[in-house]
Amino acid sequence: MKNVEIIPFESRYAKDFARLNVEWLEKYFEVEPHDAELLEACEENIIAPGGHIFFARVGQEIAGTFSLIRAGENIYELGKMAVSPKFQGHKIGQGLMQFCIDFSREQQWEKLILYSNTFLENAIYIYRKYGFREIVSEENPPYERSNIKMELIL
């Protein structure tokens, strides 16, 4: 899709971040307590501890988003990635993924991790396409819906 601009977080987009993610979560799963904590106070729980949130903007409309949540020294969780149904099928998610990887490499981070569910076959395919590999998950991952953990060594 032409005219897609990837922009960093601004407070005025916090509601878009929550809206896109809730819309996606409710379509496939449910909003879990950890989701609500991150979405309702994204500046305090993602940005302030050293994380990042980015958006795909088409014209003046926010079409997609993702976050990089600090998980350790030079390790970040790729999370809260969502694209509005209106804009799905235009490779916006893949554009966000490539931007995420490029940004992470520029920061000289060690690796990215993510939690997902194998039910989301298209997402898992895209993660693998971009180099993510399955690793052993913790006994109690941060999301109940998660049945796969993946990492990308940068």
Side-chain angles (χ1 to χ4, degrees), residues 122-140:
N122 290 343
I124 300 299
Y125 172 81
I126 290 170
Y127 298 146
R128 287 193 170 118
K129 176 180 172 179
Y130 282 88
F132 282 85
R133 300 288 173 246
E134 184 173 356
I135 59 172
V136 176
S137 185
E138 313 76 328
E139 192 170 313
N140 296 304

Side-chain angles (χ1 to χ4, degrees), residues 7 11-13 16 21 23 55 62 64-65 72-73 80 85 91-92 98 126-127 129 148:
I7 59 171
S11 296
R12 65 182 167 144
Y13 297 128
D16 293 296
N21 277 285
E23 186 175 58
F55 297 93
I62 297 298
T65 189
E73 188 67 34
K80 304 296 171 251
K91 300 193 183 280
I92 290 175
Q98 188 62 59
I126 290 170
Y127 298 146
K129 176 180 172 179
I148 186 171

Side-chain angles (χ1 to χ4, degrees), residues 10 14 18-19 34 42 54 68 70-71 81 89 94 102 118 120 125 147 151:
E10 292 179 32
R19 174 186 52 80
H34 186 57
C42 63
F54 291 94
L68 290 162
R70 192 168 191 275
M81 180 177 271
Q94 291 187 57
D102 293 345
T118 52
L120 303 168
Y125 172 81
N147 69 357
E151 74 175 6

